[in-house]
Amino acid sequence: LFSLFGRVNYSYADKYLLEAVVRRDGSSRFGTKKYGIFPAFSLGWRITQEDFMASTSDWLNELKLRAGYGVVGNDQMGNYNSYTQFAYSEGNASYGMNGSNGAFSNTGFYQSTFGNTDVKWETTTTTNVGIDATFFKNITLTFDVWQRNTKDMLYQKQLPLVLGTATRPSINIGEMKNTGFDFELGYANTAMNGDLTYSAELVFSHYKNELTKLTDVATDFYQGSGYREKYYTRTQTGRA
């Protein structure tokens, strides 16, 4: 993996905050499409620093609105996915040159993997909006709403069994959408003249996962692994 990135941080009057990052990642796991560019940025507004919030300073210590957008890449597949490979085996790829069924002294080669040079980065784009607040110096509140969209997912291609047992290559398929929110409420304080510090947090999260596209054919599905000639899972558009 080879990466270059640049980052910019900006703060104006400690009220308006900006951070932007651009990455260029390259992975040797890909064939002709080794590089991807992944931008991200976040904005923040510390509302309690505004003059019109001065009257709330005795009970509202911090109030900040946040918004963010970012793209990340995934290259998690076999190291040699781009290459069609061959292997030798005395048991599975031997051949008797004299024509006898019992003579397997000549070791041969067989195709062990299928390659795919056209596979590219899987990308996930996340957008979120959030709020941070502190009340009475002891109570903290954080709330985030987010949506995550993944496309060009890396998945092993399904091939007919007549092509043999060679390892299937990873390809890019489908689109997936995740939506959700995270809520956190905390309390922290001290006791025994500051010798004891304690805190408690309440966390609640909810998310929904939906496959919005699998292939260009809406009725396509991918079947999971089988057990005793039964298949218990499959991946299909419109399902979680």
Side-chain angles (χ1 to χ4, degrees):
L1 183 68
F2 177 76
S3 300
L4 297 171
F5 73 92
R7 182 171 62 184
V8 174
N9 286 292
Y10 178 75
S11 174
Y12 178 76
D14 202 26
K15 291 187 291 187
Y16 311 113
L17 312 174
L18 167 67
E19 181 174 358
V21 178
V22 177
R23 293 177 57 102
R24 184 177 187 266
D25 294 333
S27 174
S28 60
R29 290 176 171 174
F30 298 104
T32 59
K33 303 173 182 178
K34 289 182 170 60
Y35 293 94
I37 297 177
F38 310 107
F41 71 88
S42 61
L43 301 172
W45 178 25
R46 298 186 64 196
I47 303 176
T48 44
Q49 297 297 104
E50 299 288 356
D51 293 338
F52 61 80
M53 295 292 292
S55 60
T56 65
S57 60
D58 56 338
W59 61 273
L60 181 60
N61 309 109
E62 179 73 26
L63 179 62
K64 180 170 68 175
L65 293 180
R66 297 177 283 101
Y69 170 89
V71 183
V72 295
N74 175 29
D75 69 341
Q76 295 303 300
M77 59 180 181
N79 289 332
Y80 307 104
N81 185 78
S82 300
Y83 303 97
T84 296
Q85 301 178 72
F86 293 83
Y88 72 90
S89 170
E90 294 182 357
N92 297 326
S94 56
Y95 182 77
M97 297 300 292
N98 60 5
S100 173
N101 290 332
F104 297 103
S105 59
N106 300 93
T107 301
F109 286 82
Y110 68 97
Q111 185 174 342
S112 58
T113 66
F114 290 97
N116 178 17
T117 60
D118 294 327
V119 69
K120 59 184 179 180
W121 286 87
E122 173 186 315
T123 58
T124 299
T125 302
T126 303
T127 305
N128 80 288
V129 177
I131 184 172
D132 298 322
T134 302
F135 306 94
F136 301 107
K137 299 181 180 181
N138 302 112
I139 303 172
T140 59
L141 182 147
T142 301
F143 182 71
D144 281 279
V145 179
W146 50 268
Q147 177 171 309
R148 183 174 297 138
N149 296 308
T150 302
K151 65 178 183 179
D152 299 322
M153 294 183 292
L154 296 173
Y155 197 88
Q156 277 193 310
K157 182 177 178 64
Q158 292 194 347
L159 296 173
L161 294 179
V162 295
L163 294 180
T165 59
T167 302
R168 300 166 294 169
S170 291
I171 60 174
N172 298 110
I173 64 169
E175 298 177 3
M176 182 176 293
K177 180 174 70 172
N178 293 270
T179 56
F181 66 85
D182 302 301
F183 174 83
E184 181 177 333
L185 182 65
Y187 179 81
N189 209 336
T190 61
M192 301 174 61
N193 297 321
D195 293 334
L196 174 66
T197 300
Y198 62 93
S199 63
E201 294 182 350
L202 174 66
V203 179
F204 181 78
S205 297
H206 171 78
Y207 73 92
K208 179 181 179 181
N209 179 328
E210 180 183 359
L211 183 69
T212 56
K213 178 182 178 182
L214 186 60
T215 68
D216 292 331
V217 180
T219 56
D220 277 358
F221 64 88
Y222 275 89
Q223 195 158 258
S225 59
Y227 179 72
R228 294 189 176 182
E229 300 182 359
K230 298 290 185 180
Y231 293 91
Y232 299 98
T233 63
R234 74 176 185 179
T235 304
Q236 184 175 356
T237 302
R239 300 293 182 176

